[in-house]
Amino acid sequence: MAVTKAILEKWMVAQKRHRLSDRQVQMARELGLNPDKLGKIDNHRQEPWKAPLPQFIENIYFKRFRREEPETVKPLKQILKEMETRKKLQKEKKEERRKQRALSSGSVVE
């Protein structure tokens, strides 16, 4: 599952705006909800028949997956950190490969 930094930042904004826990954000992400459209779902004060957003997410999650909560819950900040460290490792490996190629091509030319 490819997750971009921009999408995670949108989820962080939605989490603050709608006062969602990390668990509820994880559930919403697994359900495929759009963080930009959570406001439409969360107007239970104007439309009293609607459930509050956190409760709504939990109900839908249970209906879809038949579990109370995700197996593993990772905070969004932790996911961002892991992405950054993974990116750094990939850059280091790429630089190492470039150096190896430069050394091997340099020795063949001489």
Side-chain angles (χ1 to χ4, degrees):
M1 181 166 93
V3 180
T4 63
K5 188 175 179 179
I7 293 172
L8 287 177
E9 288 173 354
K10 283 185 178 184
W11 274 110
M12 290 174 82
V13 170
Q15 181 178 17
K16 283 184 181 179
R17 180 179 296 146
H18 301 291
R19 296 187 183 108
L20 300 173
S21 68
D22 290 327
R23 184 174 70 96
Q24 292 160 343
V25 170
Q26 181 76 27
M27 288 178 178
R29 288 179 57 221
E30 288 181 20
L31 287 167
L33 297 179
N34 185 344
D36 296 331
K37 307 227 173 161
L38 291 180
K40 294 179 180 179
I41 302 170
D42 189 30
N43 63 359
H44 64 279
R45 290 185 189 99
Q46 296 167 348
E47 300 170 344
W49 64 88
K50 286 186 174 180
L53 184 61
Q55 184 181 348
F56 176 74
I57 291 171
E58 290 171 1
N59 290 341
I60 288 182
Y61 189 85
F62 183 76
K63 283 181 185 179
R64 167 96 44 99
F65 298 110
R66 294 287 177 215
R67 347 182 255 255
E68 293 291 326
E69 60 184 39
E71 293 172 359
T72 58
V73 177
K74 285 188 179 180
L76 295 174
K77 290 180 181 178
Q78 181 182 353
I79 295 171
L80 278 174
K81 283 182 183 177
E82 289 174 359
M83 283 175 53
E84 289 174 6
T85 55
R86 204 173 309 128
K87 212 172 209 180
K88 283 181 184 177
L89 286 174
Q90 287 176 346
K91 282 186 178 184
E92 290 172 2
K93 287 180 183 178
K94 190 173 184 178
E95 281 297 318
E96 188 64 34
R97 285 194 305 264
R98 284 182 180 169
K99 288 178 183 177
Q100 291 296 329
R101 277 193 226 124
L103 289 175
S104 64
S105 65
S107 62
V108 172
V109 173
E110 293 177 343

